[in-house]
């Protein structure tokens, strides 16, 4: 319409002269200005329409994500409710069993008390008839206990000396030595006594045993020259077999692995909380190196969760498919690292801020899992 009006005014301007011509030209300029303004408004309307469409798609995606998050939280809540219900059922059965036992013991109480009184009376009568003989036997028994205690201590000392001598004789022919403090929070490292031996070309397998001479079990995945003991190794002897050029050598710790100072008190303080949080960094995910910022590793009485802020990276209740142990493969800080498998196909390698935090997390998770009738150990344990 504006174009037609402009053409009509152009036709009229050709026919006018003087003052009327100027007014027509002024009208033409006003029509052109109006056309420009309408064009600009049309462009703004198109831009607004695009923004509205973009906002609508964003809101739709946000609604779908919210619905998905609600469904996920609902499934987690249902799983926790089922677990709690099963735990309540088990506790109810235990309480009923204890009540039955208590009732039975109360029924048998008078008979037991009567028997105890009869035994005490018989002992009193015996002492009255032969007091000196009884006292002599008591002294003799005390002397025998003292001798047995002394001989046991001497036997333990001799066994330790024999083990040290055997180890010293074996180290003369073994080109490898075991370095590192033999306690939690440290690393055991195999080192070649001869500088010409390349330890990286050797085949290595670590073992744990109740004593140096008892049957040992292989630690699955521990095939590197470095191994960081975990709480499961406390009180056990750690050994490593090294195969080089077809020859087999064995190195072993001087004694059982000792617990770390302050670990027990740290675990006791964490047990007073419903959930315990640890600051960790994800070093590996599904066996692949992974770089990340700090995350929160939360250990609860029914589940374990890995999150950062309000974003949940992983969460799982205690189950038979879950595994948790100290790291056994290659890691930068093995004494601070932990292996966690939620389920088959999803694993994490987490690095803690300190060795004590890592060991406390392992002890705490295994205790809570045991209360849920789940044994939380490493692969193939």
């Amino acid at each position: 319409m504006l174009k037609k009006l402009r053409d009509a005014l152009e036709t009229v301007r050709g026919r006018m002269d003087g003052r009327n011509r100027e007014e027509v030209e002024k009208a033409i300029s006003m029509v052109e200005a109006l056309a420009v303004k309408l064009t600009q408004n049309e462009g703004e309307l198109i831009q607004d329409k695009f923004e509205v469409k973009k906002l609508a798609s964003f809101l739709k995606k946000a609604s779908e994500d919210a619905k998905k998050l609600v469904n996920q939280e609902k499934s987690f809540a249902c799983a926790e409710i089922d677990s709690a219900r099963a735990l309540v059922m088990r506790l109810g059965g235990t309480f009923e069993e204890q009540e039955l036992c208590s009732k039975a013991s109360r029924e048998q109480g008078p008979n037991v008390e009567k028997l105890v009184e009869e035994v005490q009376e018989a002992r009193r009568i015996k002492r009255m008839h032969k007091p000196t003989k009884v006292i002599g036997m008591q002294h003799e028994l005390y002397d025998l206990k003292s001798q047995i205690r002394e001989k046991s201590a001497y036997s333990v000392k001799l066994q330790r000396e024999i083990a040290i001598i055997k180890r010293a004789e074996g180290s003369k022919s073994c080109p490898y030595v075991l370095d590192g403090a033999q306690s939690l929070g440290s690393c055991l490292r195999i080192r070649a006594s001869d500088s010409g031996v390349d330890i990286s070309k050797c085949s290595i397998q670590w073992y744990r045993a109740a004593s140096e001479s008892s049957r040992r079990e292989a630690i699955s995945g521990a095939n590197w020259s470095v191994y960081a003991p975990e709480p499961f190794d406390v009180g056990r002897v750690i050994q490593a077999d090294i195969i080089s050029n077809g020859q087999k050598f064995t190195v072993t710790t001087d004694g059982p692995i000792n617990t770390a100072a302050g670990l027990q008190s740290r675990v006791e303080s964490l047990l007073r909380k419903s959930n315990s949080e640890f600051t960790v960094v994800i070093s590996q995910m599904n066996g692949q190196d992974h770089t990340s910022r700090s995350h929160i590793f939360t250990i609860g009485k029914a589940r374990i969760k890995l999150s950062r802020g309000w974003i949940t990276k992983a969460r799982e209740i205690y189950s038979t498919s879950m595994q948790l142990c100290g790291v056994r493969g290659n890691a930068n800080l093995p004494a601070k690292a932990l292996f966690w498998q939620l389920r088959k196909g999803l694993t994490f390698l987490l690095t803690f801020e300190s060795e004590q935090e890592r060991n406390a997390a392992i002890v705490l998770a295994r205790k809570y899992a045991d209360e849920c009738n789940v044994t939380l150990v490493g692969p193939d344990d």
Side-chain angles (χ1 to χ4, degrees):
M1 289 174 66
L2 289 173
K3 186 176 182 300
K4 290 180 181 180
L5 180 58
R6 185 180 180 281
D7 293 340
L9 289 173
E10 288 287 349
T11 304
V12 172
R13 185 178 64 174
R15 298 175 184 175
M16 296 293 180
D17 56 356
R19 185 177 179 181
N20 292 331
R21 185 182 180 87
E22 292 178 357
E23 291 179 355
V24 172
E25 289 178 353
K26 186 178 180 180
I28 292 173
S29 64
M30 290 176 64
V31 170
E32 290 178 348
L34 182 59
V36 171
K37 189 173 182 179
L38 287 174
T39 304
Q40 292 176 352
N41 290 338
E42 185 179 3
E44 292 177 357
L45 287 172
I46 293 173
Q47 181 66 24
D48 291 342
K49 185 177 180 181
F50 174 74
E51 292 293 335
V52 169
K53 287 184 177 179
K54 185 177 179 182
L55 181 60
S57 62
F58 176 76
L59 290 175
K60 183 179 179 181
K61 187 175 183 301
S63 177
E64 292 175 354
D65 292 341
K67 188 181 294 184
K68 184 178 180 181
L69 183 60
V70 168
N71 292 333
Q72 186 178 7
E73 291 294 335
K74 185 177 179 181
S75 63
F76 282 133
C78 291
E80 290 184 2
I81 290 171
D82 292 339
S83 178
R85 185 180 289 114
L87 182 60
V88 169
M89 293 293 290
R90 288 197 300 271
L91 290 175
T94 303
F95 288 151
E96 289 179 359
E97 185 177 352
Q98 289 181 352
E99 187 176 356
L100 291 175
C101 293
S102 177
K103 185 177 179 181
S105 62
R106 285 196 300 269
E107 292 176 353
Q108 296 178 0
N111 295 331
V112 174
E113 292 177 358
K114 187 176 180 180
L115 287 174
V116 171
E117 290 177 357
E118 291 179 357
V119 170
Q120 290 178 351
E121 182 66 18
R123 289 179 177 176
R124 188 182 66 82
I125 295 171
K126 184 177 181 181
R127 289 194 187 98
M128 289 176 63
H129 285 82
K130 296 182 179 180
T132 54
K133 186 175 181 180
V134 172
I135 294 172
M137 291 176 65
Q138 288 179 348
H139 286 298
E140 186 178 354
L141 183 61
Y142 179 78
D143 293 338
L144 288 173
K145 287 182 178 179
S146 300
Q147 292 178 11
I148 292 172
R149 195 179 300 112
E150 292 176 359
K151 290 184 180 297
S152 298
Y154 185 66
S155 175
V156 171
K157 183 179 178 181
L158 287 177
Q159 288 178 359
R160 289 179 179 175
E161 291 178 355
I162 292 171
I164 293 172
I165 293 172
K166 287 182 177 179
R167 195 174 296 113
E169 292 176 352
S171 62
K172 293 179 181 179
S173 58
C174 181
Y176 303 97
V177 293
L178 193 62
D179 292 338
Q182 298 171 9
S183 61
L184 284 181
S186 64
C187 285
L188 300 176
R189 189 180 302 273
I190 300 173
R191 177 177 57 84
S193 56
D194 185 1
S195 59
V197 179
D198 188 2
I199 193 68
S200 62
K201 296 181 179 179
C202 300
S203 176
I204 299 173
Q205 176 61 60
W206 292 84
Y207 298 87
R208 63 168 66 98
S211 63
E212 189 174 351
S213 59
S214 64
R215 185 174 176 269
R216 60 183 186 173
E217 59 182 27
I219 304 174
S220 176
N223 308 116
W224 298 83
S225 60
V226 176
Y227 176 71
E230 58 142 291
F232 194 65
D233 298 323
V234 174
R236 301 190 179 191
V237 174
I238 301 299
Q239 298 179 343
D241 286 350
I242 306 105
I243 299 178
S244 176
N245 297 326
Q247 290 184 309
K248 179 180 176 181
F249 303 96
T250 301
V251 292
T252 183
T253 56
D254 295 333
I257 298 297
N258 299 316
T259 187
L263 178 62
Q264 184 65 28
S265 59
R266 174 60 175 158
V267 173
E268 290 177 356
S269 65
L270 292 173
L271 286 172
R272 300 188 189 101
K273 306 175 183 178
S274 58
N275 292 308
S276 300
E277 296 183 349
F278 302 88
T279 302
V280 298
V281 174
I282 302 175
S283 302
Q284 291 183 11
M285 182 175 177
N286 293 330
Q288 301 296 324
D289 291 338
H290 185 84
T291 56
S292 70
R293 289 178 285 181
S294 296
H295 286 66
I296 299 299
F297 187 61
T298 305
I299 299 178
K301 294 185 177 181
R303 67 181 181 184
I304 298 178
K305 182 175 71 173
L306 180 64
S307 61
R308 186 176 184 274
W310 58 272
I311 300 174
T312 300
K313 188 80 174 180
R315 177 167 52 183
E316 189 74 15
I317 62 174
Y318 297 111
S319 63
T320 55
S321 61
M322 182 181 290
Q323 295 177 357
L324 189 142
C325 64
V327 66
R328 299 174 180 178
N330 189 18
N332 294 329
L333 300 170
K336 297 181 180 180
L338 176 148
F339 171 81
W340 180 37
Q341 175 182 290
L342 286 81
R343 51 186 176 273
K344 291 183 178 179
L346 182 57
T347 60
F348 290 96
L349 187 64
L350 306 177
T351 302
F352 288 71
E353 291 182 326
S354 66
E355 295 85 355
Q356 187 187 69
E357 293 293 280
R358 173 257 209 179
N359 293 322
I362 295 176
V363 174
L364 196 65
R366 286 176 176 168
K367 182 173 180 59
Y368 287 150
D370 186 62
E371 292 176 355
C372 296
N373 292 329
V374 174
T375 303
L376 208 56
V377 290
D380 300 329
D381 283 347

